Amino acid sequence: MKQVSSITFGPCYGSLCFSAKRPTLLRFTHHFKFHSTRAMASHIVGLPRIGPKRELKFALESFWDGKSSAEELQNVAAGLRSCIWKQLADAGIKYIPSNTFSYYDQMLDTTAMLGAVPPRYGWKSSEVGLETYFSMARGNAHVPAMEMTKWFDTNYHYIVPELGPHIRFSYASHKAVDEFKEAKALGLDTVPVLIGPVSYLLLSKPARGTEQSFPPLSLLRYILPVYKEVVAELKAAGATWIQFDEPTLVWDLDANQLQAFAHAYSELESSLSGLNVLIETYFADVTAEAYKTLTSLKGVTGYGFDLIRGEKTLDLINDGFPSGKHLFAGVVDGRNIWANDLASSLRTLQALEGIVGKDKIVVSTSCSLLHTAVDIVNETELDKEVKSWLAFGAQKVVEVNALANALSGHKDEAFFSTNAAAQASRKSSPNVTNEAVQKAAAALKGSDLRRATNVTARLDAQQKKLNLPILPTTTIGSFPQTIDVRRVRREFKDKKISEEDYVNAMEEEINKVVKLQEELDIDVLVHGEPERNDMVEYFGEQLSGFAFTSNGWVQSYGSRCVKPPIIYGDVSRPKPMTVFWSSLAQGMTKRPIKGMLTGPVTILNWSFVRNDQPRFKTCYQIALAIKDEVEDLEKAGITIIQIDEPALREGLPLRKAEQALYLGWAVHSFRITNCGVRDTTQIHTHMCYSNFNDIIHSIIDMDADVITIENSKSDEKLLSVLPEGLKFGSGIGPGVYDVHSPRIPSDTELCVKIKNIIKVLENNMVWVNPDCGLKTRKYSEVQPALSNMVAAAKYNRQMLRRSD
């Protein structure tokens, strides 16, 4: 057996350097060993595309800012792709994916492939270029972007296709074929990956101006001809395998939806003849009905299952698997960063091998590694004990190959032994357990903590104290983080400036933000959060039980990357986290300053969470820590406290039978944070970029005094559920403009939006605010947009007074 020596993974594109003039690829010097024989039965569903140092992010933003050309951006992208492919080949991966790279989002890539460009972008039938592509994603000076929402229950976002009955599909982006040929030119046979036709339609929405009852799935027969063209070109280019991602198969699908899968692949069967076809599912179990449908599809060679979040699927496989078909067994977690329990996974694989056959089982990841960090080798400051428990994307490739080798009879005993020692270390480490925290959190189970007074009485008491105008204006929290702000934070972290200099610089920035809001005549102010790196990481750094990476970046959407904290142990708050900064800001103005906190459910869902205890236990621990902070803010004289929960829906299980349990403890966790404050203390929460309509009753049950919620980027879908007899007792601020687009809305446009909102909601309950925080925008965009927002609110106030 050939033993592969040390090779690089990620590093060759990790050293990708981008300048406005010329992108270059440099060699990467870090190494780690792959324990594998080449071309074992191993498969990776997909890989991170951003680069370990966010190289794609910087290339994209340089292009968007006009500092570099399209050709330069494309060269950077090509360098990233080639390094990924080559290193997977060197690692011994047999089934290497292509077309998983994207400049923004794989659903948007599919929209471009199908020529499904909304008319407002002025696209003519031709190849969809970068200008049109990025206009759909980000909007432009003339039209807004398409809706963005969460990808299933992850923190990744996708651009939602807009489809109507009169759309005409055409083959308008050859990206899948071009990237396959690109890999082929490097001497690499890859597996082209496409979003499957049925999942694409099920994840779409009716276009603007189309009846909301219109089912995009009815367009199936019109998109299949484009898929056939793509398949034909891939076959002609030499493809032998093709992967269709059909993740909606893990949903609770009705008979009509399941039949659509059977129809689609029956129609594609003749086009797929001569190809090996893999249907990939991920993120949850498939139902018995979906399993039956999937394993009966015509022309399909193999099936991919998530066996980490879909353990029940194992029972379905045990009960019967189609003879002669391949099982791509997702036993390495693509959603978390904990090292695989190799011994346990090998036992699972050996049991499956007895069912499907030795030559028909392929070791795979549970889903794309897009959702995990790139390479732990870049973490030089992480605690050594914690680091030994972890596996990032690169290490998960190692695990896949180690399992594939072991399954073929070439087990690396030393590698498995090291893994077992790390598993044992984590279970016994005193750094993981805090008995006092465990006891306090355990006491919450079965309780129903909430504020004693109902929201109507509380709002009356708060208005007497705050004396806010009708349609009060506010922002969501963050203001633009300038280069200077980031530089000062970085210098303080690197101990290049003193704490006094750091505090003075932050105080100056906060004062600037407060004065700007006063000049704009905003009613409820924020301090702008210049001291914060990320809304979760900032709090995690001040809580026990958390660890942090230097380069553990994960793509959220487009160029937006996050660096999730790692929750490895019991969570508590050693000391106040935000009181100093909020009190400092409140001392600068007579207007109320909101204390800004991230809620426990969002901290949980936007972290890499320990997998050695139920998630609700960890969430209750975080809730108790945030409760301490809320009460300290109140004692310091902060009268409005915002506890953001944008990730509430993100954690919602994909299967309906499991959702009530999650919503019960998630909503309870939020209520725990503020159950002890006075009636006159106003509690806000904020939510964004998910479809909240189906959990609206749970949002009401959170019992916040004011809810600000993303509404503009989702085409005001939130408002569509309100006329159906639903009443908010709390104040509500549906966002009036999309902050993730550089476009500046006019005051006239915002006047109309506010007018539409007050047609649906009671006037005295409505707040006026943007969709989300302003961190990613520039002051040249923020100032005029907020000025127009305030002017629109004042105009509508005036109209309401005249009508009284």
Side-chain angles (χ1 to χ4, degrees), residues 173-188:
S173 171
H174 293 68
K175 175 179 176 293
V177 178
D178 291 342
E179 291 186 12
F180 175 81
K181 289 180 177 178
E182 191 178 309
K184 192 82 169 175
L186 297 171
L188 301 172

Side-chain angles (χ1 to χ4, degrees), residues 338 383-390 417-433 568 612:
W338 302 107
D383 178 85
K384 289 184 179 179
E385 181 184 40
V386 173
K387 188 174 180 178
S388 73
W389 304 336
L390 307 179
S417 178
T418 300
N419 175 266
Q423 299 291 323
S425 164
R426 185 177 169 211
K427 290 177 181 177
S428 62
S429 174
N431 295 321
V432 171
T433 304
Y568 69 87
D612 59 344

Side-chain angles (χ1 to χ4, degrees), residues 746-761:
S746 68
D747 54 357
T748 302
E749 175 186 337
L750 294 174
C751 276
V752 173
K753 285 204 172 188
I754 296 170
K755 185 177 180 181
N756 289 338
I757 290 169
I758 59 182
K759 285 179 181 178
V760 175
L761 297 165

Side-chain angles (χ1 to χ4, degrees), residues 45 156 223 238 340 507 639 704 729:
V45 176
Y156 181 75
I223 70 170
N340 187 280
E507 182 177 2
T639 56

Side-chain angles (χ1 to χ4, degrees), residues 74 108 183 190 234 250 262 330 333 360 372 398 406 424 439 446 524 623 745 758 784:
Q74 290 161 347
L108 184 61
T190 59
L234 287 169
V250 304
D333 193 350
K360 297 300 181 183
T372 191
V398 177
K439 186 176 180 180
V524 174
I758 59 182

Side-chain angles (χ1 to χ4, degrees), residues 7 48-49 63 74 92 197 265 282 428 474 500 510 513-514 663 688:
I7 68 165
R49 40 177 100 118
F63 173 70
Q74 290 161 347
Y265 288 93
Y282 35 78
S428 62
T474 190
E500 181 180 1
I510 291 169
V513 169
V514 169
L663 288 169
C688 58

Side-chain angles (χ1 to χ4, degrees), residues 47 56 58 313 416 528 576 602 728:
L47 279 160
L56 180 60
F58 300 124
T313 302
F416 270 68
T602 295
F728 272 89

Side-chain angles (χ1 to χ4, degrees), residues 7-18 23-32 34 47 49-56 75-90 186 188 374-375 377-378 394:
I7 68 165
T8 56
F9 179 87
C12 81
Y13 66 85
S15 292
L16 187 73
C17 298
F18 186 86
T24 59
L25 281 173
L26 305 179
R27 289 302 302 168
F28 204 85
T29 57
H30 298 301
H31 295 76
F32 63 84
F34 281 97
L47 279 160
R49 40 177 100 118
I50 58 171
K53 302 289 181 67
R54 296 178 292 164
E55 290 79 8
L56 180 60
N75 287 341
V76 171
L80 288 167
R81 289 191 297 267
S82 66
C83 281
I84 291 171
W85 292 329
K86 288 178 181 178
Q87 291 158 355
L88 286 182
D90 289 342
L186 297 171
L188 301 172
V374 177
D375 192 345
V377 77
N378 298 315

